[in-house]
Amino acid sequence: MKAYLEENRIIRTFPRETMIGALSYYLTEGISKHFQPMNANFGLSPSLTEKIRDKKIKKERMVERSLKALSDFI
């Protein structure tokens, strides 16, 4: 999570683990030469630290991580 000062206000950004944070990171930090508009998807989120082969379990873990990051952010 970034926080920076702009006109005496602290601007906070959502964590990359959340979908809105991943999308905003892709828009602001993505490589402009190869930029392609896209919908929200799990590929924009940072990888999990553990390797999980089952897609359903992997997505569940990513959602759990996202909800925890959002809860901590709020």
Side-chain angles (χ1 to χ4, degrees):
M1 174 181 61
K2 289 183 185 176
Y4 55 93
L5 193 62
E6 181 178 291
E7 297 178 11
N8 297 326
R9 295 182 305 167
I10 295 177
I11 307 298
R12 296 176 59 193
T13 59
F14 282 87
R16 279 189 64 198
E17 292 79 17
T18 64
M19 193 51 62
I20 194 161
L23 281 168
S24 64
Y25 180 82
Y26 178 73
L27 288 172
T28 59
E29 306 291 331
I31 301 170
S32 61
K33 183 178 179 182
H34 303 290
F35 178 80
Q36 291 290 315
M38 69 172 62
N39 293 326
N41 64 71
F42 285 105
L44 294 174
S45 298
S47 300
L48 294 172
T49 55
E50 59 205 290
K51 294 283 185 187
I52 301 172
R53 293 181 59 90
D54 187 320
K55 286 183 182 182
K56 184 177 179 182
I57 294 172
K58 184 177 183 178
K59 288 179 182 179
E60 287 174 357
R61 296 269 171 84
M62 292 180 91
V63 169
E64 290 170 3
R65 179 184 68 176
S66 178
L67 290 172
K68 182 180 179 335
L70 184 60
S71 176
D72 293 345
F73 176 73
I74 293 173

